[in-house]
Amino acid sequence: MDYLEIAAERLRVHAWRDKTMRTTAYCFSLIATRYSNTKLGTRAGRIATALNSTRAFTRLLDDLPMLKATLTYGFGKQGEPILSRVLQVIENVAYQLFFPVEHLALLCQLEVLPVANRQKWVSRCTTLWAVALVCVISKNVMLLAELLNAKEKLLKSEPSLDRGESGLHSSKAKELDSRLRLTKLTIIKDSCDFLNAVNWLPITNFLWSGKLSPSQSAIAGLVSSLVGFQILRLTS
């Protein structure tokens, strides 16, 4: 399968298409900040804005899939750690609320609703996104600790294995390494997004809110998107 065929096949999938638009938007945002007050910067900024608006339009259809995921999970399974379940429920609720709030912000942008209210809805979107990211990062840090502990136990048990068990041990080690790599990448991606989420929060003097430059924000978003591509490749 040649590269063109691989690219065409992946771009048929919503996740790959969205990640491509997101990465491209951050690339143009970076160009816009690097060449501000020039025609190139202005044009790059317009393209970035158009791509972000396109992504917002495609998310108009995400409410029902998110609702299905939220209802399917409910309050989690009985054997699952309580903290992990609480974090997942908060994350689901935050994302469930995020979509209709974003739709209202989009309607304000299109002047269907009063334009003066747009920033209010955008700020609420950012707050919900930040809350969801805190939950996601916390869960993955817990998972990382669990996987590292499992790997340590596996390494300690290795000398006592006979030949018949070595193949199974090797398979488990590979699976653990794969999950560790994926978890680390996910933490990096979500941490970069969290940098931007806090930076865009409408709260004065809260952590680094409003303190990142436009170029720093674009770089954080670009790193997140590029890492996201690697995660998609590993999970496809």
Side-chain angles (χ1 to χ4, degrees):
M1 188 180 289
D2 60 24
Y3 291 116
L4 179 60
E5 194 172 342
I6 292 171
E9 184 178 324
R10 286 178 173 174
L11 287 174
R12 291 190 189 102
V13 180
H14 171 72
W16 281 96
R17 192 180 303 155
D18 180 71
K19 195 66 68 181
T20 301
M21 284 194 290
R22 188 181 198 262
T23 305
T24 308
Y26 275 119
C27 285
F28 277 107
S29 292
L30 193 56
I31 294 169
T33 57
R34 176 66 180 82
Y35 297 98
S36 57
N37 302 320
T38 66
K39 285 185 178 180
L40 175 62
T42 302
R43 289 167 181 169
R46 286 173 183 167
I47 294 171
T49 300
L51 285 168
N52 286 327
S53 294
T54 302
R55 293 183 64 233
F57 274 107
T58 61
R59 286 196 294 270
L60 287 170
L61 305 174
D62 285 346
D63 299 72
L64 287 178
M66 185 66 228
L67 180 61
K68 182 179 182 298
T70 301
L71 294 176
T72 300
Y73 185 81
F75 292 102
K77 296 178 181 178
Q78 200 63 35
E80 200 175 352
I82 185 66
L83 181 56
S84 179
R85 288 164 60 188
V86 169
L87 288 170
Q88 185 63 60
V89 169
I90 296 171
E91 177 196 338
N92 287 346
V93 170
Y95 275 131
Q96 192 65 63
L97 293 172
F98 172 89
F99 292 114
V101 171
E102 186 186 47
H103 302 339
L104 290 169
L106 186 60
L107 289 173
C108 291
Q109 180 184 328
L110 296 172
E111 299 184 14
V112 175
L113 295 177
V115 179
N117 293 335
R118 181 175 182 271
Q119 193 53 49
K120 175 180 68 176
W121 294 114
V122 169
S123 298
R124 288 171 181 172
C125 275
T126 306
T127 303
L128 288 166
W129 186 38
V131 169
L133 285 170
V134 168
C135 295
V136 174
I137 293 168
S138 300
K139 282 191 310 170
N140 278 303
V141 168
M142 289 166 56
L143 176 60
L144 181 63
E146 184 183 320
L147 291 172
L148 287 171
N149 188 45
K151 186 174 182 180
E152 186 180 348
K153 288 180 179 178
L154 197 65
L155 289 172
K156 285 180 180 178
S157 68
E158 188 174 10
S160 62
L161 296 174
D162 57 32
R163 289 183 181 180
E165 295 174 311
S166 61
L168 179 60
H169 182 276
S170 176
S171 176
K172 285 183 178 179
K174 284 180 181 178
E175 183 185 349
L176 267 175
D177 286 338
S178 178
R179 291 184 67 192
L180 274 167
R181 182 164 59 251
L182 186 61
T183 304
K184 288 174 183 177
L185 287 171
T186 303
I187 291 171
I188 293 169
K189 177 185 78 67
D190 291 330
S191 296
C192 288
D193 283 337
F194 187 64
L195 279 174
N196 275 336
V198 172
N199 181 55
W200 295 332
L201 283 174
I203 307 171
T204 308
N205 296 325
F206 177 73
L207 298 177
W208 55 90
S209 175
K211 294 179 181 177
L212 296 185
S213 68
S215 59
Q216 288 173 329
S217 179
I219 289 169
L222 184 57
V223 171
S224 167
S225 294
L226 292 174
V227 174
F229 270 126
Q230 179 66 5
I231 292 170
L232 277 176
R233 191 184 68 80
L234 290 173
T235 55
S236 295

